[in-house]
Amino acid sequence: MAFWNKTPKTDGDPLLRPLPRRRQLSDRAILWLFIAPTLILLVAMNIFPLFYSLFLSFTDYSAISASPPVWVGLGNYQRVLSDKQLWTYFAITGRYALAAVGLETLLGFGLAMVLREKFHASGFITTLILVPMMLSPVVVGLFWKLIFNPQSGIFNYLLGFAAGQGPDWLRDPKLALWAVVIVDVWMWAPFVMLLCLSGLNAIPEYLYEAAVIDRASPWFQFWRITLPQVAPLLLIAVLFRTIEAFKAFDLVMGLTGGGPGDATELIAVNLYRIAFPPQFQTGLGSALAYIILVLIVAISNLYIRTLNQIRGEV
Amino acid sequence: MKKLALLLVLLMVLPFAACGPAKTPAVQPTAAPAVKELTIMWAQWDPADYLQKVGQLYEQETGIKVTVIQEPWGSFYNRVAAEWAAHGTAFDMVVGDSQWLGQAATQGHYLELTDFLKSEGIDKTVTEATLKYYGEYPTGSGRYWAYPTEGDAVGWAYRKDLFENPEEKAAFKARYGYDLDVPKTWEQLYQIAEFFTRPDKGLYGVAIYTQKDYDGITMGFENVFFSWGADWKDPKTNEVKGWVNSPQAVEALEFYRKLYAFAPPGSSNDFFAECNNHFTAGEVAMAMNYFAFFPALSNPATNPHASVTGFFAVPAGPTGQRFAALGGQGLSINAYISPERQEAAKAFIRWFASEEIQRKWAEFGGYTCNKNVLASEAFLKAQPYNPAFADTMQVVKDFWNVPVYGQLLEVVQRELQAYVVGGQGTAKEVLDRIAEEHDSILRQAGLIK
């Protein structure tokens, strides 16, 4: 009953005659009523699965088995960490993340620098550049599969190869990962561009005016004004893209299916194969998922620490 | 206040009353109403629609409504597996993949049908191979868990206009020394593929399975693997070393890679949809595919070359052996439904397995496994691919169907694709690695002593 208030005293004033007793909710109760649905949803959909999957990572369990989870301690973690094949997939993911995020940063920042200057139809061009990131990754994957086709696709043609003469990007193990990187850059460089553009537009004009008065060179202006001012937003973009690169799944499944061989088998793709059909090794899959999570948290922390340093300097 | 007290007393007494011995009702309830409807879970594709038509016939005859629940292929296994985990009763029967048998049988999801199929003589009505691969677990045990329902296996489609063109025939004979015709051996198929590979004209020899997801490339390779005399295991001991990486297996894998050279560019991740697409686009002279996907190739609405499309069964290997990779599914009863519903499901299978209904099933478009129907003149003439199908169903062979088949499959898919598509390593190295990993998985699962 702590939520219910008593009726206030009226001191005999007829105008303040007590109304029939009505129970009123306290502010605290109302507050809880508003928060409770969200909290319940959060606990049911996020917190509980998080801790339950942590528990499952210490068990031998298959989600489709009638048998209950069997405690195996650190067995699953030991299996994951001693599996050479999984380390190969981690290495492929690392290479992919480095190449994709690096190129997206360069290209995105470069585009933002170009589009910062207003010119005829610059708004329209900006909107057009943003279109790829609004598409479904699976659709993009399937679409680019056609574009990469050495016989009928346009990609090799644009590189100057005649039909059937150029490289088979998705068949060659040395090129397949680059094919995925190219598509990822095409899709997500606009995202980096968008964040950089908002950072560039927020730089006060007087900083440049002061620099011009001091006869600072364009390079000096870029290095000492533009880059430090944009760096926090740029780093946030890099952080998001790095996290996404470690989670990349749908684009790869649509484009290469993880092949040829294990050339594009990113860790998230292999996690799917372990945790879902046909293997359904839920316990092992949970352990791998937690290892990926720890890795992403560690990388994110590095970024955030750098970000804080930059903010301190700016 | 009195009311409140009465309510409290009632609330206190009720739980005890509920725990007390059940009171015999004055009037015995009437017998439980008979089952009025049955549900069958299957993947979303044409054969499921045909089964629904069969279900309508059953309703007309018995008054029992049959509903075929269709789940898209991508989530079919997930949906069934979720029901298994929950001991669910959302469906009475399921038309499940042959590879699920081990898991479903050992974990108690399927009702054992051995006595039922034998006592009714149903086991004798279907071809031996289909009963073995769609129904039996463990293999060779004589214990059955499913009625072979939708027979399917890998076959071939070819362009009759190219094969029968007099100029092509003459050129082929001049080059290879024998008449251009439907290949009887894999070697002939290879030479025909080589002959028709003309990149400058956008024409290639074959479309074959190369996909890494699930079981694509494994199902394609199995056709040569088995036909070369190789196998996944020693049938008696389950030993894999010396079997998976036998000299025959090495030769078969080298052959499959050579054959891939005649596939169109961009064939690095092809399965049934892509193989049909290459064929309908006029890019290939021959295409490998499951028979279940051939109706699309004989339909002018979906294949502009339908009128000149022919079909043939898997050719023979170097020693004359001939095997096709198995597709298709068997009909099983959910072990978690009530005994009454289980009996009703058995009654449906008894009716469905009769020759008359199997004939109707085939007429609708279903791929029957019934021996007599398969051999009947009417069936063989019903569709252009039916003679090849009837032939193929005598020579089918399958991958592992043990509970750890998923882990075994993942290894094969990864290694085969790396070698065939990626050109990495040698066939011997690839098969040695598969044998090593399979041995480890099977020992951990207790399937090799």
Side-chain angles (χ1 to χ4, degrees), chain B residues 361-379:
Chain B
W361 167 234
E363 279 169 20
F364 289 143
Y367 279 116
T368 179
C369 299
N370 184 291
K371 279 182 205 169
N372 294 343
V373 178
L374 280 174
S376 68
E377 204 60 28
F379 176 78

Side-chain angles (χ1 to χ4, degrees), chain B residues 78-95:
Chain B
N78 290 5
R79 171 91 189 266
V80 174
E83 281 298 316
W84 286 349
H87 291 194
T89 55
F91 53 82
D92 299 299
M93 291 170 272
V94 58
V95 190

Side-chain angles (χ1 to χ4, degrees), chain A residues 128-192:
Chain A
L128 215 60
I129 290 173
L130 292 176
V131 168
M133 65 180 248
M134 297 170 193
L135 303 174
S136 153
V138 176
V139 175
V140 168
L142 294 171
F143 186 63
W144 272 84
K145 208 172 163 179
L146 299 173
I147 292 176
F148 279 128
N149 188 304
Q151 187 71 33
S152 54
I154 197 171
F155 193 77
N156 277 347
Y157 174 76
L158 291 175
L159 292 180
F161 292 102
Q165 302 298 311
D168 195 338
W169 289 81
L170 305 180
R171 178 175 172 171
D172 188 337
K174 287 176 188 155
L175 294 177
L177 190 66
W178 281 108
V180 181
V181 168
I182 288 167
V183 180
D184 197 73
V185 169
W186 175 82
M187 202 173 169
W188 291 109
F191 170 75
V192 180

Side-chain angles (χ1 to χ4, degrees), chain A residues 216-232:
Chain A
S217 67
W219 172 249
F220 187 87
Q221 288 179 36
F222 172 78
W223 194 246
R224 301 305 294 265
I225 300 172
T226 310
L227 200 58
Q229 291 288 325
V230 177

Side-chain angles (χ1 to χ4, degrees), chain A residues 63-64 151 173 259-261 265 277 279, chain B residues 77-78 81 85 103 204 212 417 422:
Chain A
I64 56 161
Q151 187 71 33
E265 184 85 359
Q279 297 192 48
Chain B
Y77 182 56
N78 290 5
Q103 194 174 35
Y204 294 84
K212 194 185 172 187
Q417 229 237 357

